[in-house]
Amino acid sequence: MGDKNFNLPPGFRFYPTDEELVVHFLQRKAALLPCHPDVIPDLDLYPCDPWELDGKAMAEGNRWYFYSRKTQNRVTGNGYWKPLGADEPIFTSGSKEVGTKQYYVFYVGEESAGVKTNWVMQEYRLSDSGSSSSTRSSRRRGNPKVDYSKWVLCRVYESEEDDDNGPELSCLDEVFMSLDDLDEVSFPN
């Protein structure tokens, strides 16, 4: 996957709406239809920490996009993704529900004692009606072994929102903050 170029042409910005992500990307992926431009890669998210996505996922600004297999295990090498709130339905402009969006926050450490970071993931899934038609479509194409309705589309970003208690710190900020005070460091004149 490292040899695939995810750069978009000059002036082209990838800023899709929730509906566009589900209808024009995820539904096409599940139905085994081509997607033009084919810029969103397949990635097994869970061995990757969010700060390792650069160069592996399609980046636009401070957001990374990729397809991943649907799974219950959201544990990485250094932490885990914890769900935040309930599923949010995604509707077309014609008011038809086509999918759902679930928010996750990344925690560093073990599940029982993790430290919350400001990394956020939005995981998009097809609604049940969309996934069953995709399964029928893949069976008609003679590929019953692979169930492409199990795909999700993920958007990961580092949140910059301030909290009432002040801004959240990234993992690296917390490491640097834990070092000795700057008062003890002498700077050259």
Side-chain angles (χ1 to χ4, degrees):
M1 190 178 333
D3 60 342
K4 186 171 180 179
N5 186 0
F6 299 118
N7 295 328
L8 299 174
F12 183 86
R13 300 291 179 257
F14 189 74
Y15 197 74
T17 64
D18 291 347
E19 177 187 354
E20 291 167 338
L21 285 173
V22 171
V23 173
H24 297 289
F25 290 94
L26 188 55
Q27 279 187 348
R28 293 185 71 81
K29 175 79 169 173
L32 301 174
L33 296 171
C35 192
H36 301 289
D38 185 16
V39 294
I40 301 177
D42 298 346
L43 178 64
D44 188 10
L45 167 66
Y46 303 107
C48 296
D49 292 314
W51 51 86
E52 297 174 330
L53 291 174
D54 203 23
K56 296 178 182 176
M58 201 287 285
E60 177 61 41
N62 67 343
R63 296 175 185 266
W64 290 268
Y65 297 86
F66 55 90
Y67 297 108
S68 187
R69 300 293 285 175
K70 193 185 298 186
T71 181
Q72 295 299 318
N73 179 16
R74 291 183 175 83
V75 177
T76 70
N78 292 308
Y80 60 97
W81 292 96
K82 182 177 179 180
L84 182 66
D87 287 358
E88 197 176 292
I90 306 294
F91 295 98
T92 63
S93 52
S95 300
K96 177 185 173 194
E97 184 177 334
V98 290
T100 58
K101 174 172 63 172
Q102 173 71 50
Y103 285 88
Y104 294 86
V105 175
F106 190 73
Y107 283 75
V108 174
E110 299 294 320
E111 285 193 55
S112 58
V115 176
K116 182 179 176 182
T117 69
N118 54 347
W119 286 98
V120 176
M121 177 173 62
Q122 297 170 339
E123 184 180 88
Y124 295 87
R125 295 182 303 276
L126 293 173
S127 63
D128 290 335
S129 61
S131 61
S132 63
S133 66
S134 299
T135 303
R136 283 193 304 272
S137 172
S138 67
R139 284 189 190 131
R140 273 185 298 207
R141 295 182 199 296
N143 196 358
K145 294 179 185 173
V146 180
D147 184 4
Y148 285 92
S149 66
K150 300 294 183 190
W151 287 101
V152 295
L153 196 155
C154 300
R155 175 192 285 155
V156 176
Y157 57 94
E158 195 169 10
S159 175
E160 297 177 7
E161 294 180 14
D162 288 349
D163 192 70
D164 288 342
N165 301 328
E168 292 184 21
L169 300 176
S170 71
C171 298
L172 291 176
D173 290 336
E174 291 179 19
V175 168
F176 288 118
M177 295 285 291
S178 69
L179 298 175
D180 293 335
D181 290 333
L182 287 177
D183 296 338
E184 298 174 10
V185 177
S186 61
F187 294 102
N189 290 340

